[in-house]
Amino acid sequence: MSQPVPAASLTGQTALVTGSSRGIGADTARYLAQAGANVVINFRNKAPRAEKLATELRGLGVDVLTVGADLTDPASVSEMFAAVKERFGSLDILVLNASGGMEGGMAEDYALTLNRDAQVGALEAALPMMSEGSRVVFVTSHQAHFIETTPTMPEYEPVARSKRAGEDALRERIPALTEKGVEFVVVSGDMIEGTITATLLERANPGAIAERRESAGKLYNVAEFAAEVARAAVEPIPADHTRLIGDTSSFGA
C-alpha cells in the first residue's frame, strides 16, 4: 500500500474510525497508523478481525484500542467514547465511515437510524474530547451525495437518501464546530470495487458494477478510496467542505 499521509505527521494524535474492522475503514485506520496516529478500531460484531488488525498496527509502534459498539445504541456509543477518553484523554480525528441499510432482517427505519441519527450521535459523543484543530471526516457515496439531483438504482435509493440525510444533519453543525475550532469535511466517492455495498448491489442488480465502471471509466478499489479518506484527515479542507473522489460527470450539480 502506498502512503497517502506523510509518515510521522500524525505522531501523538489519536484517530477513531467507525466500522474499521474491515474494508475502507480498516485501510483508513492502517494509513493513519502508518502516519503515526494512535488508532481506535470500532466494530459492531467482528472482534477477531478487529484484534487481528490491531495486532498488525501495533507493529507500527502506535497504540491501538479496539472497541465493540453498535452505533445505533446511544449507551454503547457512550461506553466507546468513555473507553477512548480513559485510554487517550482526547481525540484528534473522527472518521465517520460506518454505514449500512442493505442488510436483511433489519427494521424498516434502520438505514435512517444508522446513516443519519447514529452519525450525529457519534459526533456529539466525541465532541467533548475534541479540541481546536481536530477534524471530523464523513464518508459517503456520489449516489447519496447527489441523490437530490441524480436518481440512483432503486435497490440503493433508501440507503442513498438516508446517507444524504446524515450528511445534511452533520453539515447543519458546521457553524457550531467551526466556533469550537473543529474542522469538518465530507468525502464522497463513486461505487467502490470490493465493498459489501457493491457486492449487495451486484447481487440485487447483476451487471450494475460493470455498467458503472464503464460509464465512469474507472472505479476506485477499497485501498485507493481509503487513501483518499486518510488524506482528507490531514489536507486543507475545501471551502464547501467537500472532497469528490472519482468521476462526477454523470451526476447533476
Side-chain angles (χ1 to χ4, degrees):
M1 296 172 73
S2 61
Q3 173 55 275
V5 181
S9 63
L10 296 178
T11 299
Q13 296 193 39
T14 299
L16 186 154
V17 184
T18 62
S20 50
S21 67
R22 63 182 177 187
I24 294 166
D27 276 354
T28 299
R30 189 175 280 114
Y31 287 132
L32 296 175
Q34 288 174 358
N38 298 318
V39 175
V40 182
I41 299 170
N42 158 247
F43 63 94
R44 188 175 66 182
N45 52 20
K46 303 292 184 184
R49 186 152 45 192
E51 289 299 337
K52 182 179 179 182
L53 176 62
T55 298
E56 174 195 334
L57 300 190
R58 289 183 187 116
L60 299 171
V62 300
D63 194 0
V64 183
L65 175 66
T66 61
V67 187
D70 178 352
L71 298 184
T72 65
D73 176 5
S76 182
V77 171
S78 294
E79 290 173 6
M80 174 171 71
F81 284 105
V84 175
K85 184 174 184 178
E86 182 179 352
R87 180 72 155 264
F88 298 110
S90 62
L91 185 65
D92 302 286
I93 299 169
L94 173 64
V95 180
L96 295 171
N97 163 75
S99 66
M102 295 193 68
E103 304 88 339
M106 294 298 188
E108 188 175 341
D109 63 348
Y110 177 71
L112 199 58
T113 300
L114 174 59
N115 297 330
R116 183 191 64 189
D117 303 345
Q119 306 302 314
V120 174
L123 172 60
E124 296 298 338
L127 272 179
M129 281 189 293
M130 304 185 79
S131 57
E132 186 171 356
S134 56
R135 185 172 297 194
V136 179
V137 180
F138 176 69
V139 181
T140 190
S141 66
H142 293 346
Q143 288 74 20
H145 180 70
F146 291 103
I147 189 61
E148 299 299 337
T149 55
T150 306
T152 188
M153 59 190 75
E155 298 86 356
Y156 189 64
E157 183 169 349
V159 176
R161 291 198 176 278
S162 68
K163 284 186 69 65
R164 181 66 221 202
E167 179 181 336
D168 290 342
L170 291 167
R171 284 184 183 275
E172 288 175 5
R173 283 156 173 77
I174 289 176
L177 292 175
T178 302
E179 188 174 332
K180 185 178 168 66
V182 177
E183 301 168 329
F184 175 82
V185 63
V186 171
V187 181
S188 177
D190 208 328
M191 289 183 187
I192 309 299
E193 304 253 23
T195 61
I196 298 297
T197 297
T199 300
L200 292 174
L201 279 173
E202 186 67 23
R203 192 177 300 163
N205 190 349
I209 303 302
E211 183 179 335
R212 181 59 201 150
R213 186 189 308 115
E214 183 176 351
S215 173
K218 167 189 169 60
L219 293 180
Y220 281 63
N221 63 32
V222 168
E224 290 170 333
F225 184 63
E228 297 296 338
V229 176
R231 288 189 185 98
V234 297
E235 291 183 353
I237 294 178
D240 63 354
H241 299 271
T242 310
R243 291 171 67 107
L244 300 175
I245 310 302
D247 179 67
T248 59
S249 60
S250 60
F251 294 92

